[in-house]
PDB file of all heavy atoms in Angstrom:
ATOM      1  N   MET A   1      14.929  10.833 -12.415  1.00  0.00           N
ATOM      2  CA  MET A   1      15.742  11.080 -13.606  1.00  0.00           C
ATOM      3  C   MET A   1      15.509  10.014 -14.659  1.00  0.00           C
ATOM      4  O   MET A   1      15.398  10.318 -15.849  1.00  0.00           O
ATOM      5  CB  MET A   1      17.223  11.136 -13.209  1.00  0.00           C
ATOM      6  CG  MET A   1      17.601  12.394 -12.449  1.00  0.00           C
ATOM      7  SD  MET A   1      19.382  12.527 -12.100  1.00  0.00           S
ATOM      8  CE  MET A   1      19.561  11.280 -10.835  1.00  0.00           C
ATOM      9  N   ARG A   2      15.397   8.779 -14.233  1.00  0.00           N
ATOM     10  CA  ARG A   2      15.191   7.684 -15.180  1.00  0.00           C
ATOM     11  C   ARG A   2      13.789   7.695 -15.754  1.00  0.00           C
ATOM     12  O   ARG A   2      13.580   7.420 -16.936  1.00  0.00           O
ATOM     13  CB  ARG A   2      15.491   6.363 -14.462  1.00  0.00           C
ATOM     14  CG  ARG A   2      15.388   5.123 -15.319  1.00  0.00           C
ATOM     15  CD  ARG A   2      15.958   3.920 -14.577  1.00  0.00           C
ATOM     16  NE  ARG A   2      15.546   2.676 -15.165  1.00  0.00           N
ATOM     17  CZ  ARG A   2      14.492   1.987 -14.792  1.00  0.00           C
ATOM     18  NH1 ARG A   2      13.747   2.425 -13.792  1.00  0.00           N
ATOM     19  NH2 ARG A   2      14.167   0.864 -15.393  1.00  0.00           N
ATOM     20  N   MET A   3      12.800   8.017 -14.903  1.00  0.00           N
ATOM     21  CA  MET A   3      11.399   8.006 -15.347  1.00  0.00           C
ATOM     22  C   MET A   3      10.967   9.352 -15.935  1.00  0.00           C
ATOM     23  O   MET A   3       9.836   9.450 -16.436  1.00  0.00           O
ATOM     24  CB  MET A   3      10.489   7.642 -14.184  1.00  0.00           C
ATOM     25  CG  MET A   3      10.659   6.210 -13.700  1.00  0.00           C
ATOM     26  SD  MET A   3       9.480   5.821 -12.397  1.00  0.00           S
ATOM     27  CE  MET A   3       9.803   4.052 -12.204  1.00  0.00           C
ATOM     28  N   LYS A   4      11.826  10.349 -15.864  1.00  0.00           N
ATOM     29  CA  LYS A   4      11.482  11.677 -16.399  1.00  0.00           C
ATOM     30  C   LYS A   4      10.166  12.175 -15.797  1.00  0.00           C
ATOM     31  O   LYS A   4       9.237  12.505 -16.526  1.00  0.00           O
ATOM     32  CB  LYS A   4      11.407  11.634 -17.917  1.00  0.00           C
ATOM     33  CG  LYS A   4      12.666  11.105 -18.597  1.00  0.00           C
ATOM     34  CD  LYS A   4      13.857  12.035 -18.380  1.00  0.00           C
ATOM     35  CE  LYS A   4      15.068  11.602 -19.182  1.00  0.00           C
ATOM     36  NZ  LYS A   4      15.663  10.356 -18.718  1.00  0.00           N
ATOM     37  N   CYS A   5      10.121  12.227 -14.452  1.00  0.00           N
ATOM     38  CA  CYS A   5       8.908  12.674 -13.792  1.00  0.00           C
ATOM     39  C   CYS A   5       9.203  13.729 -12.739  1.00  0.00           C
ATOM     40  O   CYS A   5       8.398  13.934 -11.820  1.00  0.00           O
ATOM     41  CB  CYS A   5       8.181  11.480 -13.154  1.00  0.00           C
ATOM     42  SG  CYS A   5       9.106  10.647 -11.834  1.00  0.00           S
ATOM     43  N   GLY A   6      10.336  14.437 -12.845  1.00  0.00           N
ATOM     44  CA  GLY A   6      10.757  15.357 -11.810  1.00  0.00           C
ATOM     45  C   GLY A   6       9.783  16.476 -11.540  1.00  0.00           C
ATOM     46  O   GLY A   6       9.461  16.782 -10.385  1.00  0.00           O
ATOM     47  N   GLY A   7       9.288  17.144 -12.593  1.00  0.00           N
ATOM     48  CA  GLY A   7       8.350  18.234 -12.394  1.00  0.00           C
ATOM     49  C   GLY A   7       7.046  17.771 -11.774  1.00  0.00           C
ATOM     50  O   GLY A   7       6.521  18.376 -10.844  1.00  0.00           O
ATOM     51  N   GLY A   8       6.501  16.665 -12.306  1.00  0.00           N
ATOM     52  CA  GLY A   8       5.266  16.125 -11.778  1.00  0.00           C
ATOM     53  C   GLY A   8       5.408  15.699 -10.328  1.00  0.00           C
ATOM     54  O   GLY A   8       4.514  15.911  -9.504  1.00  0.00           O
ATOM     55  N   LEU A   9       6.544  15.082 -10.006  1.00  0.00           N
ATOM     56  CA  LEU A   9       6.801  14.654  -8.638  1.00  0.00           C
ATOM     57  C   LEU A   9       6.842  15.854  -7.695  1.00  0.00           C
ATOM     58  O   LEU A   9       6.215  15.853  -6.614  1.00  0.00           O
ATOM     59  CB  LEU A   9       8.123  13.889  -8.578  1.00  0.00           C
ATOM     60  CG  LEU A   9       8.540  13.411  -7.190  1.00  0.00           C
ATOM     61  CD1 LEU A   9       7.879  12.076  -6.881  1.00  0.00           C
ATOM     62  CD2 LEU A   9      10.051  13.272  -7.096  1.00  0.00           C
ATOM     63  N   ALA A  10       7.581  16.910  -8.074  1.00  0.00           N
ATOM     64  CA  ALA A  10       7.716  18.085  -7.225  1.00  0.00           C
ATOM     65  C   ALA A  10       6.376  18.765  -7.007  1.00  0.00           C
ATOM     66  O   ALA A  10       5.988  19.063  -5.864  1.00  0.00           O
ATOM     67  CB  ALA A  10       8.707  19.061  -7.856  1.00  0.00           C
ATOM     68  N   LEU A  11       5.640  19.029  -8.084  1.00  0.00           N
ATOM     69  CA  LEU A  11       4.403  19.785  -7.950  1.00  0.00           C
ATOM     70  C   LEU A  11       3.328  18.977  -7.232  1.00  0.00           C
ATOM     71  O   LEU A  11       2.627  19.516  -6.363  1.00  0.00           O
ATOM     72  CB  LEU A  11       3.905  20.204  -9.341  1.00  0.00           C
ATOM     73  CG  LEU A  11       4.824  21.115 -10.158  1.00  0.00           C
ATOM     74  CD1 LEU A  11       4.155  21.505 -11.466  1.00  0.00           C
ATOM     75  CD2 LEU A  11       5.199  22.365  -9.361  1.00  0.00           C
ATOM     76  N   SER A  12       3.166  17.708  -7.584  1.00  0.00           N
ATOM     77  CA  SER A  12       2.076  16.929  -7.010  1.00  0.00           C
ATOM     78  C   SER A  12       2.297  16.648  -5.531  1.00  0.00           C
ATOM     79  O   SER A  12       1.360  16.735  -4.729  1.00  0.00           O
ATOM     80  CB  SER A  12       1.886  15.618  -7.780  1.00  0.00           C
ATOM     81  OG  SER A  12       3.025  14.790  -7.701  1.00  0.00           O
ATOM     82  N   THR A  13       3.529  16.329  -5.145  1.00  0.00           N
ATOM     83  CA  THR A  13       3.764  16.030  -3.719  1.00  0.00           C
ATOM     84  C   THR A  13       3.725  17.310  -2.885  1.00  0.00           C
ATOM     85  O   THR A  13       3.283  17.274  -1.728  1.00  0.00           O
ATOM     86  CB  THR A  13       5.095  15.282  -3.523  1.00  0.00           C
ATOM     87  OG1 THR A  13       6.171  16.073  -4.060  1.00  0.00           O
ATOM     88  CG2 THR A  13       5.057  13.932  -4.207  1.00  0.00           C
ATOM     89  N   ALA A  14       4.166  18.439  -3.444  1.00  0.00           N
ATOM     90  CA  ALA A  14       4.028  19.717  -2.738  1.00  0.00           C
ATOM     91  C   ALA A  14       2.546  20.031  -2.514  1.00  0.00           C
ATOM     92  O   ALA A  14       2.141  20.464  -1.432  1.00  0.00           O
ATOM     93  CB  ALA A  14       4.699  20.835  -3.533  1.00  0.00           C
ATOM     94  N   PHE A  15       1.756  19.800  -3.542  1.00  0.00           N
ATOM     95  CA  PHE A  15       0.312  20.041  -3.458  1.00  0.00           C
ATOM     96  C   PHE A  15      -0.309  19.133  -2.396  1.00  0.00           C
ATOM     97  O   PHE A  15      -1.096  19.571  -1.558  1.00  0.00           O
ATOM     98  CB  PHE A  15      -0.322  19.762  -4.823  1.00  0.00           C
ATOM     99  CG  PHE A  15      -1.754  20.185  -4.958  1.00  0.00           C
ATOM    100  CD1 PHE A  15      -2.079  21.482  -5.320  1.00  0.00           C
ATOM    101  CD2 PHE A  15      -2.782  19.259  -4.783  1.00  0.00           C
ATOM    102  CE1 PHE A  15      -3.408  21.856  -5.461  1.00  0.00           C
ATOM    103  CE2 PHE A  15      -4.114  19.633  -4.914  1.00  0.00           C
ATOM    104  CZ  PHE A  15      -4.427  20.931  -5.255  1.00  0.00           C
ATOM    105  N   GLY A  16       0.065  17.859  -2.419  1.00  0.00           N
ATOM    106  CA  GLY A  16      -0.464  16.916  -1.443  1.00  0.00           C
ATOM    107  C   GLY A  16      -0.040  17.238  -0.028  1.00  0.00           C
ATOM    108  O   GLY A  16      -0.849  17.126   0.917  1.00  0.00           O
ATOM    109  N   ALA A  17       1.198  17.657   0.171  1.00  0.00           N
ATOM    110  CA  ALA A  17       1.688  17.973   1.502  1.00  0.00           C
ATOM    111  C   ALA A  17       0.999  19.206   2.074  1.00  0.00           C
ATOM    112  O   ALA A  17       0.659  19.246   3.257  1.00  0.00           O
ATOM    113  CB  ALA A  17       3.212  18.174   1.473  1.00  0.00           C
ATOM    114  N   VAL A  18       0.776  20.219   1.240  1.00  0.00           N
ATOM    115  CA  VAL A  18       0.075  21.432   1.699  1.00  0.00           C
ATOM    116  C   VAL A  18      -1.354  21.084   2.120  1.00  0.00           C
ATOM    117  O   VAL A  18      -1.842  21.525   3.163  1.00  0.00           O
ATOM    118  CB  VAL A  18       0.106  22.514   0.617  1.00  0.00           C
ATOM    119  CG1 VAL A  18      -0.872  23.651   0.965  1.00  0.00           C
ATOM    120  CG2 VAL A  18       1.512  23.069   0.446  1.00  0.00           C
ATOM    121  N   ASN A  19      -2.041  20.308   1.317  1.00  0.00           N
ATOM    122  CA  ASN A  19      -3.419  19.936   1.658  1.00  0.00           C
ATOM    123  C   ASN A  19      -3.454  19.067   2.905  1.00  0.00           C
ATOM    124  O   ASN A  19      -4.401  19.147   3.704  1.00  0.00           O
ATOM    125  CB  ASN A  19      -4.077  19.222   0.479  1.00  0.00           C
ATOM    126  CG  ASN A  19      -4.454  20.178  -0.643  1.00  0.00           C
ATOM    127  OD1 ASN A  19      -4.646  21.368  -0.397  1.00  0.00           O
ATOM    128  ND2 ASN A  19      -4.533  19.664  -1.861  1.00  0.00           N
ATOM    129  N   ALA A  20      -2.437  18.220   3.081  1.00  0.00           N
ATOM    130  CA  ALA A  20      -2.373  17.401   4.302  1.00  0.00           C
ATOM    131  C   ALA A  20      -2.165  18.294   5.532  1.00  0.00           C
ATOM    132  O   ALA A  20      -2.734  18.052   6.603  1.00  0.00           O
ATOM    133  CB  ALA A  20      -1.249  16.380   4.186  1.00  0.00           C
ATOM    134  N   PHE A  21      -1.340  19.325   5.395  1.00  0.00           N
ATOM    135  CA  PHE A  21      -1.149  20.274   6.508  1.00  0.00           C
ATOM    136  C   PHE A  21      -2.443  20.977   6.829  1.00  0.00           C
ATOM    137  O   PHE A  21      -2.807  21.150   8.003  1.00  0.00           O
ATOM    138  CB  PHE A  21      -0.064  21.299   6.172  1.00  0.00           C
ATOM    139  CG  PHE A  21       0.009  22.433   7.160  1.00  0.00           C
ATOM    140  CD1 PHE A  21       0.635  22.257   8.382  1.00  0.00           C
ATOM    141  CD2 PHE A  21      -0.575  23.651   6.885  1.00  0.00           C
ATOM    142  CE1 PHE A  21       0.691  23.289   9.321  1.00  0.00           C
ATOM    143  CE2 PHE A  21      -0.543  24.692   7.812  1.00  0.00           C
ATOM    144  CZ  PHE A  21       0.102  24.503   9.021  1.00  0.00           C
ATOM    145  N   LEU A  22      -3.167  21.405   5.793  1.00  0.00           N
ATOM    146  CA  LEU A  22      -4.460  22.072   6.000  1.00  0.00           C
ATOM    147  C   LEU A  22      -5.420  21.170   6.767  1.00  0.00           C
ATOM    148  O   LEU A  22      -6.115  21.610   7.692  1.00  0.00           O
ATOM    149  CB  LEU A  22      -5.085  22.446   4.649  1.00  0.00           C
ATOM    150  CG  LEU A  22      -4.805  23.839   4.105  1.00  0.00           C
ATOM    151  CD1 LEU A  22      -5.463  23.982   2.736  1.00  0.00           C
ATOM    152  CD2 LEU A  22      -5.323  24.911   5.049  1.00  0.00           C
ATOM    153  N   LYS A  23      -5.464  19.911   6.367  1.00  0.00           N
ATOM    154  CA  LYS A  23      -6.348  18.933   7.049  1.00  0.00           C
ATOM    155  C   LYS A  23      -5.924  18.776   8.494  1.00  0.00           C
ATOM    156  O   LYS A  23      -6.769  18.721   9.390  1.00  0.00           O
ATOM    157  CB  LYS A  23      -6.325  17.606   6.305  1.00  0.00           C
ATOM    158  CG  LYS A  23      -7.297  16.576   6.868  1.00  0.00           C
ATOM    159  CD  LYS A  23      -7.269  15.318   6.004  1.00  0.00           C
ATOM    160  CE  LYS A  23      -8.256  14.260   6.569  1.00  0.00           C
ATOM    161  NZ  LYS A  23      -8.267  13.027   5.747  1.00  0.00           N
ATOM    162  N   MET A  24      -4.632  18.661   8.755  1.00  0.00           N
ATOM    163  CA  MET A  24      -4.135  18.518  10.110  1.00  0.00           C
ATOM    164  C   MET A  24      -4.484  19.731  10.950  1.00  0.00           C
ATOM    165  O   MET A  24      -4.955  19.610  12.072  1.00  0.00           O
ATOM    166  CB  MET A  24      -2.610  18.326  10.064  1.00  0.00           C
ATOM    167  CG  MET A  24      -1.937  18.105  11.415  1.00  0.00           C
ATOM    168  SD  MET A  24      -1.549  19.622  12.375  1.00  0.00           S
ATOM    169  CE  MET A  24      -0.454  20.467  11.228  1.00  0.00           C
ATOM    170  N   ARG A  25      -4.315  20.928  10.385  1.00  0.00           N
ATOM    171  CA  ARG A  25      -4.613  22.151  11.112  1.00  0.00           C
ATOM    172  C   ARG A  25      -6.101  22.258  11.429  1.00  0.00           C
ATOM    173  O   ARG A  25      -6.488  22.666  12.533  1.00  0.00           O
ATOM    174  CB  ARG A  25      -4.159  23.377  10.306  1.00  0.00           C
ATOM    175  CG  ARG A  25      -4.247  24.677  11.071  1.00  0.00           C
ATOM    176  CD  ARG A  25      -3.761  25.849  10.272  1.00  0.00           C
ATOM    177  NE  ARG A  25      -4.635  26.147   9.148  1.00  0.00           N
ATOM    178  CZ  ARG A  25      -4.548  27.253   8.403  1.00  0.00           C
ATOM    179  NH1 ARG A  25      -3.597  28.138   8.649  1.00  0.00           N
ATOM    180  NH2 ARG A  25      -5.373  27.478   7.413  1.00  0.00           N
ATOM    181  N   SER A  26      -6.913  21.867  10.454  1.00  0.00           N
ATOM    182  CA  SER A  26      -8.366  21.892  10.661  1.00  0.00           C
ATOM    183  C   SER A  26      -8.773  20.936  11.761  1.00  0.00           C
ATOM    184  O   SER A  26      -9.622  21.253  12.615  1.00  0.00           O
ATOM    185  CB  SER A  26      -9.085  21.556   9.354  1.00  0.00           C
ATOM    186  OG  SER A  26     -10.476  21.476   9.555  1.00  0.00           O
ATOM    187  N   THR A  27      -8.183  19.756  11.768  1.00  0.00           N
ATOM    188  CA  THR A  27      -8.513  18.755  12.786  1.00  0.00           C
ATOM    189  C   THR A  27      -8.071  19.221  14.166  1.00  0.00           C
ATOM    190  O   THR A  27      -8.776  19.031  15.166  1.00  0.00           O
ATOM    191  CB  THR A  27      -7.808  17.417  12.456  1.00  0.00           C
ATOM    192  OG1 THR A  27      -8.243  16.993  11.162  1.00  0.00           O
ATOM    193  CG2 THR A  27      -8.177  16.358  13.474  1.00  0.00           C
ATOM    194  N   SER A  28      -6.919  19.872  14.241  1.00  0.00           N
ATOM    195  CA  SER A  28      -6.380  20.325  15.508  1.00  0.00           C
ATOM    196  C   SER A  28      -7.233  21.430  16.117  1.00  0.00           C
ATOM    197  O   SER A  28      -7.337  21.552  17.351  1.00  0.00           O
ATOM    198  CB  SER A  28      -4.939  20.847  15.329  1.00  0.00           C
ATOM    199  OG  SER A  28      -4.118  19.811  14.861  1.00  0.00           O
ATOM    200  N   SER A  29      -7.835  22.265  15.254  1.00  0.00           N
ATOM    201  CA  SER A  29      -8.607  23.400  15.762  1.00  0.00           C
ATOM    202  C   SER A  29     -10.030  23.036  16.153  1.00  0.00           C
ATOM    203  O   SER A  29     -10.742  23.813  16.766  1.00  0.00           O
ATOM    204  CB  SER A  29      -8.641  24.514  14.710  1.00  0.00           C
ATOM    205  OG  SER A  29      -9.246  24.053  13.512  1.00  0.00           O
TER     206      SER A  29
END
């Protein structure tokens, strides 16, 4: 709220988390 970065925070971390899951799934298989 103070840094006015809510949209960027939501989108970028969601993007990073999905790609991290993909990497984890690929490694597991």
Side-chain angles (χ1 to χ4, degrees):
M1 288 185 287
R2 182 169 163 267
M3 292 184 174
K4 305 295 186 291
C5 63
L9 179 84
L11 298 183
S12 62
T13 58
F15 190 85
V18 168
N19 286 336
F21 170 79
L22 267 178
K23 185 176 180 179
M24 182 277 300
R25 189 179 68 169
S26 176
T27 302
S28 299
S29 60

